[in-house]
């Protein structure tokens, strides 16, 4: 693995965001039963690629050893905020 992969994935996400914003080619997917009600799976895939970019970028930092710990703490804080908003 090479940390320059993050740049490749970033360009990919930028292109995806443009297509998604314009809803280009969406009608093709909405004809499929799996995507008829929503395109959430595409958004989930985008988030997965963003996580991959974040990890590649973290590899370049000195504190990479703590990357997973910080990410887990951030996720827990986000979940707590969401729970508080629902109440």
């Amino acid at each position: 693995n090479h940390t320059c992969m993050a740049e490749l994935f970033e360009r990919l996400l930028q292109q995806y965001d443009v297509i998604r914003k314009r809803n280009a080619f969406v009608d093709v997917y909405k004809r499929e039963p799996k995507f008829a009600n929503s395109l959430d799976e595409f958004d989930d895939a985008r988030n997965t690629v963003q996580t991959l970019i974040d990890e590649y970028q973290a590899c370049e930092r000195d504190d990479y050893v703590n990357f997973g710990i910080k990410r887990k703490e951030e996720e827990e804080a986000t979940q707590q905020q969401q729970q508080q908003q629902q109440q």
Side-chain angles (χ1 to χ4, degrees), residues 16-61:
Y16 169 79
D17 289 340
V18 169
I19 290 171
R20 186 75 164 98
K21 183 178 178 182
R22 294 180 183 169
N23 282 325
F25 310 108
V26 169
D27 57 322
V28 175
Y29 290 99
K30 286 193 173 183
R31 288 185 214 142
E32 298 296 322
K34 184 175 187 175
F35 301 111
N37 295 327
S38 75
L39 298 173
D40 289 344
E41 191 160 338
F42 285 96
D43 297 328
D44 291 343
R46 189 212 181 281
N47 291 337
T48 300
V49 174
Q50 183 62 56
T51 301
L52 182 64
I53 291 169
D54 295 344
E55 181 137 9
Y56 270 115
Q57 290 172 340
C59 288
E60 297 174 344
R61 296 193 308 257

Side-chain angles (χ1 to χ4, degrees), residues 58 61-73:
R61 296 193 308 257
D62 292 335
D63 65 343
Y64 177 63
V65 174
N66 298 323
F67 176 73
I69 296 169
K70 289 179 184 177
R71 178 170 282 290
K72 183 172 178 142
E73 290 172 352

